[in-house]
Amino acid sequence: MGKKSNKPTQGKRAYNDKREIVLENEKFESYYRKQNIFGNNAESENEFQTLMEFLKKPLPTTFRICGYLQHAFELKNHFEKHYIPQLQNVEFEGTAIPAPEIIPWYPNQLAYSIDAKKEIIRKSPPFKRLQRFLVSENEAGNINRQEAVSMLPPLFLDLLPHHLVLDMCAAPGSKTAQLIEAIYNQAHVKDAVKDSANLSSLQGLIIANDADPKRAQMLVHQINRLNSPNVLVVNHDASTMPNVIIPSSSSDEANEKEILKYDRVLADVPCSGDGTFRKNISLWKDWSATSGLSLHPLQLRILIRGLQLLKVGGYMVYSTCSMNPIENEAVVCAALKATGESVSLVDISEKLPELKRESGLSNWKVMDDTLQEYSSPEDSHPENVTLASTMWPLSMDEMKKQHIERCARIYPQHQNTGGFFIAMLKKESPLQAHRVDALKKQDERPELKRQKLDNEASVSTSAPQPVTKTGNNYFDEEPFVYIKPDDESISSVSNFYGLDPKFPRDHFFVRNQSGTPTRSVYFACSLFKKIIENNINRVKFVHGGVRFFVKQDISPLLKSNESLEVNKDICNFRIHSDGVNIISPYLDEKFFCDADLEDLKILMKYDYPRLEQFPENGKLKVGSEKMVFGCNIVRAHAKTEDGSLTDMRILLPVWRSPNSCNLMLARKEKQNLELELFGMD
Ligand SMILES: C[S@@+](CC[C@H](N)C(=O)[O-])C[C@H]1O[C@@H](n2cnc3c(N)ncnc32)[C@H](O)[C@@H]1O
């Protein structure tokens, strides 16, 4: 036995040994029994027992294949051909382990569920191999390990390539990733080489927000894997999300501004999380009814703010991973009441027909941990119990009119998942400010009284926050500064690589105060630019854009060959692997060199491989004679005769020196690509 630490532990750390946690919580069970979530008859008790049984079972490992659709199908074929057959009829210590199954409601059969305990997956050789595949493909951004029910909200949003989407509570970002993919798929961005030709059709933008700066960084990590020029990460309290100002699209006046309104809004709000008991088993110890009560007001404010920011005709999804009606139906009912005829609940019963679900509840109780029932906010209550008038069910008539049954409840026993709640709302007309304000008046929190939310229609362009050294208000992130198109260094880089005039050269930016390209040069879509330039002192920008060019030390090359002229024969900016797919169709053909798979093996195996190490008469060796010194792009088609590899078109930046040709990829990326192409680790 290891030495036991005597250090006191607190909070989560106290539960590090999960075996110590007893999967029982009397308060939880009594609370939900009293809520009658399955009705009040003989069958409902059975249903409740089944729920409790499922909550105690480990959650299956689930993942979805992501990326652009064509690539997704290639990876699916690869997975089904090279992994699934070896996972049939596997036994571990005398117990049969079920093979991965397709999640039936997920579109295009691209999501899988593996109902095996984590320890088994780690120990049984065929599952261990699968685990390695999942880790590596997850890192590469090709698959996403995500709880099945968490994949649901983006599927209801029906995204189109031109949509402006606000993801209000986005970290760690698995749903944001789905939103980006949905936009790309709808734009028929299918092939790594031809994708970028569709750049102009990708007018859409996703703004991903999270209030917690540390979690916003997790979001950045998730999004970075997707190399999308159509995402912007911001850091705000979603309930007071600032208006984003852009130049008016309907006015010829250059200075006329308007508030950006979104086609789609997702509010996957912070919640008590009691649908995740199977994953977060420490909740068995920590669950408390008061947590739902104290989250309700914030959840409602987030929902209302989302509706304010939604375009008329737009859709918003409100979701939680809680089963508690106080965090679910009560919030939706209160928002519908506050917005009157302007917002309606959408009937989603026909969407994802294979998804089993129950209708929204029309009756519930407001209770605390002691199961003390309250009938109004005026009832006397302990200090730690929050009560608000919006927590109680409305009259049956009112809720019937609202169609509260259109909310969807997903329980663990339905399809062996976590618990989840979803409501989809449509904005039928502009909200009436006085009704929403009346709701806000009920919220007694003093800080909210000070933070009056912006009216729907008024455009305030005032700069409310002090500017810090980075120029990006009170938030200490490096600023986003667009490079002037006549900046000499960026025009010489563009000219050197023969950048097509059709490419929007004025969309390059840097992350420094001076606005000069000293290290990395980024690119993002045109709406991104408008937002950055018009909101620098009102929005906390965290991340966005794809790295296109990076400064490279060329002094060794210049020393080795004195006749080389900078920006004529050689450029001190190389093309970065993040942006290579997007920029490639716009570059001069002379920077491309074809390669065979054997060439790729050498590039991945060695740092700075010498030219004589590449196969004689191979494409790369032959092509290397024509390569310019410095950055070039290697182009390969990874497909073998027996079809054992994923069929992929690959573009990789390399650095050509007099005697070597080196792959410009981070070590981890190299390893992942190697595993994907050659099955080597
Ligand atoms: C349920 S999680 C979101 C999960 C995320 N949608 C995903 O799929 O990965 C809720 C998130 O809300 C964030 N959050 C909490 N309070 C918030 C607020 N007032 N405004 C915005 N985000 C908030 C938390 O930091 C947390 O990351």
Side-chain angles (χ1 to χ4, degrees), residues 231-426:
V231 200
L232 172 60
V233 178
V234 299
N235 171 226
H236 285 275
D237 174 350
S239 67
T240 53
M241 192 75 201
N243 285 335
V244 171
I245 309 296
I246 50 163
S248 171
S249 52
S250 55
S251 164
D252 295 335
E253 291 285 322
N255 289 331
E256 197 78 10
K257 309 274 182 189
E258 65 184 35
I259 297 173
L260 187 76
K261 290 283 170 99
Y262 302 89
D263 298 280
R264 301 286 184 267
V265 175
L266 172 58
D268 186 36
V269 295
C271 67
S272 66
D274 59 24
T276 67
F277 266 52
R278 301 178 72 182
K279 192 170 81 175
N280 304 321
I281 62 170
S282 48
L283 267 176
W284 284 101
K285 278 195 160 196
D286 296 337
W287 184 88
S288 143
T290 51
S291 140
L293 293 173
S294 50
L295 282 161
H296 168 101
L298 173 66
Q299 294 163 333
L300 178 55
R301 288 198 305 274
I302 294 177
L303 175 50
I304 298 267
R305 184 62 185 141
L307 290 168
Q308 285 181 319
L309 292 171
L310 190 62
K311 276 184 191 166
V312 170
Y315 292 93
M316 172 162 183
V317 162
Y318 173 86
S319 60
T320 72
C321 50
S322 163
M323 298 178 283
N324 194 344
I326 305 293
E327 300 175 72
N328 296 330
E329 285 87 348
V331 174
V332 174
C333 270
L336 287 171
K337 187 176 162 102
T339 52
E341 312 275 282
S342 304
V343 176
S344 65
L345 249 178
V346 181
D347 181 0
I348 49 172
S349 57
E350 306 279 305
K351 283 184 185 257
L352 308 181
E354 294 192 76
L355 177 75
K356 294 181 200 140
R357 61 198 104 173
E358 302 259 326
S359 306
L361 303 176
S362 55
N363 199 10
W364 59 87
K365 299 180 173 76
V366 180
M367 289 179 281
D368 65 16
D369 272 339
T370 62
L371 301 194
Q372 157 82 37
E373 216 180 297
Y374 298 97
S375 55
S376 95
E378 282 76 45
D379 289 357
S380 84
H381 55 273
E383 221 170 88
N384 69 333
V385 172
T386 313
L387 294 180
S389 61
T390 48
M391 289 173 180
W392 279 267
L394 305 175
S395 72
M396 270 301 169
D397 254 9
E398 273 176 289
M399 285 197 296
K400 222 171 174 181
K401 269 198 211 130
Q402 292 182 340
H403 288 289
I404 199 67
E405 76 284 355
R406 290 182 174 170
C407 298
R409 303 189 134 246
I410 292 104
Y411 290 111
Q413 68 272 28
H414 280 153
Q415 43 239 317
N416 199 9
T417 61
F420 211 69
F421 174 89
I422 286 195
M424 175 138 146
L425 301 113
K426 181 174 184 200

Side-chain angles (χ1 to χ4, degrees), residues 331-596:
V331 174
V332 174
C333 270
L336 287 171
K337 187 176 162 102
T339 52
E341 312 275 282
S342 304
V343 176
S344 65
L345 249 178
V346 181
D347 181 0
I348 49 172
S349 57
E350 306 279 305
K351 283 184 185 257
L352 308 181
E354 294 192 76
L355 177 75
K356 294 181 200 140
R357 61 198 104 173
E358 302 259 326
S359 306
L361 303 176
S362 55
N363 199 10
W364 59 87
K365 299 180 173 76
V366 180
M367 289 179 281
D368 65 16
D369 272 339
T370 62
L371 301 194
Q372 157 82 37
E373 216 180 297
Y374 298 97
S375 55
S376 95
E378 282 76 45
D379 289 357
S380 84
H381 55 273
E383 221 170 88
N384 69 333
V385 172
T386 313
L387 294 180
S389 61
T390 48
M391 289 173 180
W392 279 267
L394 305 175
S395 72
M396 270 301 169
D397 254 9
E398 273 176 289
M399 285 197 296
K400 222 171 174 181
K401 269 198 211 130
Q402 292 182 340
H403 288 289
I404 199 67
E405 76 284 355
R406 290 182 174 170
C407 298
R409 303 189 134 246
I410 292 104
Y411 290 111
Q413 68 272 28
H414 280 153
Q415 43 239 317
N416 199 9
T417 61
F420 211 69
F421 174 89
I422 286 195
M424 175 138 146
L425 301 113
K426 181 174 184 200
K427 184 159 170 179
E428 309 281 358
S429 58
L431 306 191
Q432 292 166 0
H434 68 274
R435 297 186 68 139
V436 178
D437 286 344
L439 181 75
K440 270 185 273 152
K441 281 204 190 94
Q442 294 170 14
D443 197 323
E444 291 303 314
R445 292 187 332 143
E447 71 270 27
L448 259 190
K449 283 195 173 158
R450 270 184 273 121
Q451 287 174 348
K452 193 167 163 12
L453 288 181
D454 291 337
N455 180 292
E456 272 222 66
S458 72
V459 180
S460 152
T461 47
S462 61
Q465 310 297 344
V467 176
T468 67
K469 65 177 170 21
T470 60
N472 190 3
N473 65 35
Y474 46 91
F475 190 61
D476 222 11
E477 279 285 334
E478 289 297 341
F480 295 66
V481 181
Y482 274 86
I483 306 170
K484 293 199 177 64
D486 59 359
D487 177 281
E488 240 176 60
S489 51
I490 197 70
S491 47
S492 44
V493 172
S494 304
N495 293 340
F496 178 83
Y497 288 107
L499 192 65
D500 191 321
K502 278 191 233 126
F503 192 90
R505 289 184 185 205
D506 57 347
H507 281 37
F508 290 127
F509 65 87
V510 290
R511 299 290 311 267
N512 66 50
Q513 193 72 79
S514 71
T516 44
T518 47
R519 238 189 82 72
S520 294
V521 174
Y522 301 83
F523 167 85
C525 67
S526 56
L527 182 59
F528 187 103
K529 183 176 183 198
K530 287 181 192 158
I531 293 175
I532 295 286
E533 292 188 334
N534 288 280
N535 297 275
I536 209 77
N537 287 326
R538 48 188 303 124
V539 178
K540 296 192 231 172
F541 301 115
V542 176
H543 174 83
V546 179
R547 200 186 305 225
F548 267 30
F549 300 111
V550 185
K551 193 119 188 211
Q552 180 77 22
D553 179 14
I554 53 170
S555 55
L557 274 176
L558 293 176
K559 259 188 225 150
S560 71
N561 187 337
E562 285 182 355
S563 69
L564 290 178
E565 244 182 82
V566 181
N567 289 335
K568 185 167 166 278
D569 309 306
I570 181 159
C571 182
N572 56 359
F573 276 86
R574 66 181 161 90
I575 293 156
H576 195 271
S577 57
D578 287 354
V580 70
N581 282 338
I582 303 174
I583 201 169
S584 279
Y586 299 92
L587 300 183
D588 192 322
E589 177 58 26
K590 76 174 181 194
F591 292 96
F592 293 85
C593 173
D594 289 326
D596 299 306

Side-chain angles (χ1 to χ4, degrees), residues 146 150 167-176 209-212 215 219 222 236-239 266 268-271 298 302 319 321:
Q146 187 178 353
S150 146
D167 188 352
M168 301 183 88
C169 307
S174 44
K175 295 180 193 75
T176 315
N209 173 66
D210 203 277
D212 179 334
R215 287 178 65 87
L219 190 54
Q222 172 82 261
H236 285 275
D237 174 350
S239 67
L266 172 58
D268 186 36
V269 295
C271 67
L298 173 66
I302 294 177
S319 60
C321 50

Side-chain angles (χ1 to χ4, degrees), residues 172-191:
S174 44
K175 295 180 193 75
T176 315
Q178 266 180 286
L179 296 171
I180 298 167
E181 287 163 32
I183 283 204
Y184 275 52
N185 286 337
Q186 288 297 325
H188 303 292
V189 174
K190 281 188 177 166
D191 175 278

